[in-house]
């Protein structure tokens, strides 16, 4: 049933009820005034006969003619008006009682209209609340089928919501399947890499024992690169599959940054790069120390590659909403066209260092975002690249 038909039926019901009430009220008022008229004529006739008994025959004739309505009284001179009387003097009802009678007819009509309006609004409110609760269940992942109801003006909206939710569930399931498939492929690739890496490692050891030093250093570098690729792919597979367990514990930000810098001590000394981590008071974040430290190490490595021989600055601050960590350098910064793609897997920027595989920043992003955090990268106005991490409290 369409909304217009529904409204038309309600209005028809209200009009019908009003007409019925008017008919009943008119009938009852007609009987009431007929009774008043009869009693008034009876009283007047009795008083006239008491004073003039010989006028009985004349009075009866007049009453008979009036009752039979054989006489046209339209042209007769109004006697009562000439004597100064009005119709209200013989009605027997005061103006107050007339107002009460009018109110008695008006108030039920108003009440009926208000009741109908309230019922319709209440019904709409219940339907809206039901649809809102259904959407809340969808958001929480607990939605089922919508209860069957009679058609009304919300039926089309309800159908469209259900279609949209069904489509979203199908899209979500397809995305989860694709993600699981991708994670499985990454894992398989990593395990396939593991076999030749092991074989190369054994061959390298044999070559070193036999004194063949000509190509061993180059092989060692490539072997290290393959091993790092294998570990990164396995980590990506665990992140995509949701099997990477992240502990939650309060970690001091200064300690986190210091431990990350300690792990890069050898690389920093070789490149002549320094890391500045000022103490800015006790500030804690609720994260997994080991994996968050891994993410920070990747960010520091990136700054080191883009600014060898310079200084990496680490700053941090806290407010009621989040804890912010900045890791930045004094180098040339990122190429403008690289910035939108920095956190994409296997993306290598224009000035990326040789030997990288383009996974470090994407891993850092995954680890941080899985701990109620955000990360973004950009160039500072005064020069140099900057990573900004925010860990939100709620």
């Amino acid at each position: 049933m369409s909304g217009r038909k529904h409204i038309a039926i309600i209005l028809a019901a209200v009009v019908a009820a009003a007409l019925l009430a008017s008919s009943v009220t008119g009938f009852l008022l007609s009987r009431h005034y007929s009774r008043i008229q009869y009693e008034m004529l009876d009283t007047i006739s009795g008083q006239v006969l008491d004073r003039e008994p010989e006028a009985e025959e004349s009075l009866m004739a007049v009453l008979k003619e009036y009752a039979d309505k054989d006489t046209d009284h339209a042209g007769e001179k109004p006697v009562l008006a000439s004597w100064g009387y009005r119709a209200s003097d013989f009605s027997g009802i005061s103006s107050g009682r007339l107002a009460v009678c009018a109110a008695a007819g008006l108030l039920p009509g108003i009440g009926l209209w208000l009741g109908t309006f309230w019922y319709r609004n209440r019904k709409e409110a219940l339907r809206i609340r039901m649809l809102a609760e259904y959407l809340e269940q969808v958001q929480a992942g607990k939605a089922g089928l919508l209860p069957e109801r009679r058609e009304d003006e919300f039926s089309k909206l309800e159908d469209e919501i259900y279609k949209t939710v069904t489509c979203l569930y199908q899209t979500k399931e397809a995305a989860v399947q694709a993600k699981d498939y991708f994670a499985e492929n990454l894992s398989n690739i990593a395990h396939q890499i593991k076999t030749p890496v092991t074989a190369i490692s054994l061959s390298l050891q044999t070559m070193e024992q036999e004194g063949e030093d000509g190509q061993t250093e180059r092989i060692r570098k490539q072997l290290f690169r393959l091993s790092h690729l294998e570990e990164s792919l396995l980590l990506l597979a665990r992140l995509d599959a949701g099997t990477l367990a992240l502990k939650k514990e309060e970690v001091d930000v200064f300690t986190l940054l210091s431990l990350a810098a300690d792990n890069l001590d050898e690389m920093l000394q070789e490149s002549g790069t320094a890391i500045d981590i000022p103490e800015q008071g006790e500030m804690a974040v609720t994260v997994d120390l080991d994996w968050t430290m891994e993410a920070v190490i990747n960010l520091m490595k990136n700054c080191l590659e883009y600014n060898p021989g310079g200084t990496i600055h680490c700053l941090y601050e806290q407010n009621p909403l989040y804890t912010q960590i900045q890791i930045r350098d004094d180098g040339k910064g990122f190429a403008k066209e690289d910035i939108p793609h920095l956190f994409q897997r296997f993306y290598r920027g224009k000035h990326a260092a040789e030997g990288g595989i383009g996974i470090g920043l994407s891993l850092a992003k995954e680890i941080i975002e899985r701990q109620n955090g955000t990360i973004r990268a950009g160039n500072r106005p005064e020069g140099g690249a900057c990573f900004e991490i925010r860990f939100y409290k709620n």
Side-chain angles (χ1 to χ4, degrees):
M1 185 184 298
S2 66
R4 291 184 178 178
K5 288 183 178 179
H6 185 68
I7 294 172
I9 289 175
I10 292 176
L11 290 176
V14 171
V15 171
L19 291 174
L20 179 62
S22 299
S23 299
V24 172
T25 304
F27 175 75
L28 294 176
L29 286 175
S30 176
R31 292 290 303 272
H32 177 69
Y33 283 111
S34 295
R35 183 67 181 175
I36 291 175
Q37 187 180 31
Y38 177 82
E39 291 178 353
M40 183 179 66
L41 288 174
D42 184 66
T43 302
I44 292 174
S45 299
Q47 292 181 1
V48 169
L49 292 176
D50 287 341
R51 298 182 183 183
E52 300 290 339
E54 64 277 6
E56 182 176 357
E57 292 183 3
S58 299
L59 186 58
M60 289 178 61
V62 171
L63 289 174
K64 186 175 184 306
E65 290 178 3
Y66 187 84
D68 293 339
K69 300 189 184 296
D70 293 333
T71 305
D72 184 9
H73 304 279
E76 295 182 359
K77 182 180 178 180
V79 178
L80 294 178
S82 64
W83 293 345
Y85 291 102
R86 293 174 300 176
S88 59
D89 295 334
F90 300 96
S91 64
I93 303 177
S94 63
S95 58
R97 293 181 64 185
L98 285 173
V100 171
C101 291
L106 180 63
L107 291 178
I110 295 175
L112 180 63
W113 182 82
L114 290 176
T116 304
F117 183 76
W118 173 83
Y119 173 77
R120 186 171 180 274
N121 282 355
R122 182 174 178 272
K123 188 177 179 181
E124 289 181 355
L126 289 174
R127 291 285 277 136
I128 293 172
R129 187 175 68 182
M130 184 271 292
L131 293 175
E133 289 175 353
Y134 177 73
L135 290 176
E136 289 176 359
Q137 291 176 359
V138 169
Q139 189 175 5
K142 302 177 182 178
L145 294 174
L146 280 166
E148 293 186 5
R149 293 180 178 271
R150 291 180 297 178
E151 290 189 4
D152 56 16
E153 59 266 31
F154 288 95
S155 296
K156 186 175 181 180
L157 174 62
E158 186 177 67
D159 290 341
E160 292 302 321
I161 288 175
Y162 185 72
K163 289 177 185 177
T164 303
V165 170
T166 303
C167 182
L168 288 174
Y169 271 124
Q170 292 174 349
T171 304
K172 180 182 177 182
E173 289 175 3
V176 170
Q177 290 177 358
K179 187 176 181 181
D180 292 341
Y181 181 71
F182 182 69
E184 184 179 356
N185 284 341
L186 280 181
S187 181
N188 290 335
I189 292 170
H191 284 295
Q192 291 296 326
I193 292 174
K194 194 170 186 178
T195 301
V197 166
T198 303
I200 294 172
S201 180
L202 292 173
S203 299
L204 180 62
Q205 291 177 11
T206 302
M207 292 173 65
E208 289 176 343
Q209 290 173 359
E210 294 176 355
E212 299 180 12
D213 297 331
Q215 299 294 329
T216 55
E217 185 61 30
R218 183 178 298 176
I219 294 174
R220 186 182 299 280
K221 288 182 178 179
Q222 296 302 320
L223 183 62
F224 175 79
R225 185 180 179 188
L226 282 174
S227 299
H228 181 59
L229 175 61
E230 174 205 346
E231 293 173 0
S232 299
L233 289 175
L234 287 173
L235 178 56
L236 284 173
R238 291 175 65 188
L239 285 170
D240 288 339
T243 58
L244 182 65
L246 296 173
K247 298 180 293 183
K248 289 187 177 182
E249 56 183 338
E250 283 200 356
V251 177
D252 182 68
V253 177
F254 179 80
T255 302
L256 170 67
L257 295 173
S258 298
L259 289 174
D262 290 343
N263 279 269
L264 294 173
D265 188 58
E266 184 176 345
M267 294 180 63
L268 292 170
Q269 290 183 4
E270 290 179 358
S271 64
T273 305
I275 293 185
D276 177 33
I277 308 175
E279 290 193 37
Q280 296 178 270
E282 292 185 5
M283 298 181 196
V285 289
T286 304
V287 295
D288 184 298
L289 175 59
D290 293 333
W291 286 113
T292 307
M293 187 170 64
E294 180 74 18
V296 172
I297 288 173
N298 287 337
L299 301 180
M300 289 180 174
K301 276 184 182 178
N302 190 274
C303 290
L304 188 151
E305 292 171 358
Y306 277 83
N307 185 36
T311 301
I312 300 172
H313 303 276
C314 299
L315 303 174
Y316 51 97
E317 59 183 352
Q318 198 170 57
N319 60 45
L321 296 178
Y322 55 80
T323 300
Q324 179 173 288
I325 301 172
Q326 282 190 350
I327 300 173
R328 63 195 193 193
D329 60 52
D330 301 321
K332 297 180 180 179
F334 302 111
K336 188 176 181 180
E337 60 270 24
D338 290 339
I339 293 176
H341 310 287
L342 288 174
F343 297 105
Q344 292 179 3
R345 294 179 181 181
F346 306 107
Y347 180 81
R348 291 177 50 74
K350 182 182 292 186
H351 306 297
E354 184 180 354
I357 55 179
I359 294 181
L361 293 184
S362 63
L363 282 176
K365 183 175 186 291
E366 291 273 356
I367 292 170
I368 290 169
E369 289 184 347
R370 286 177 182 269
Q371 299 182 98
N372 197 30
T374 60
I375 181 172
R376 61 181 182 178
N379 292 324
R380 300 166 59 208
E382 59 270 27
C386 178
F387 294 100
E388 184 180 275
I389 305 169
R390 289 181 179 180
F391 288 107
Y392 289 86
K393 296 186 177 180
N394 295 314

